[in-house]
Amino acid sequence: MDDRTRGRERLDELAPDLLARPDVAWKRMFGTEGLSVRGKVFAFAAHDGSLAVKLPTERIDELGLDRMVMGGRTMREWARVPLTDDVGRWRAITDDAHAFVDSITA
């Protein structure tokens, strides 16, 4: 199994708890499906299997995450959580990402 598939399977494992929350759904983004709140994506499995999440810049720094780079441009509020990190860390960071996007789209 490739890393992309492993990352998506892990996100699928986290999804039921998130999808039970108000206004959370799957949405297409960057050639994949991600979890969104009120239409704004907050987490998706990247092509390399990492978890891509939208977080405040300060939180990205606190967590020691690498920022996503797309088209040669560093994304200020998007970071990657490595596939090698455990599912508990993925869950906690995905919860943070949901809370952040929920707060800015309310």
Side-chain angles (χ1 to χ4, degrees), residues 38-96:
R38 283 182 295 289
K40 300 294 183 183
V41 174
F42 61 89
F44 66 93
H47 296 291
D48 66 357
S50 63
L51 173 68
V53 290
K54 185 171 179 72
L55 293 167
T57 57
E58 309 80 38
R59 186 67 177 138
I60 292 170
D61 294 339
E62 287 171 10
L63 293 168
L65 298 173
D66 291 332
R67 284 186 170 71
M68 274 184 64
V69 177
M70 294 188 64
R73 189 175 132 217
T74 301
M75 308 303 287
R76 190 172 57 88
E77 292 184 328
W78 281 96
R80 290 182 184 252
V81 183
L83 181 57
T84 54
D85 285 6
D86 67 48
V87 71
R89 181 166 163 90
W90 270 44
R91 180 174 281 111
I93 293 172
T94 303
D95 285 343
D96 283 356

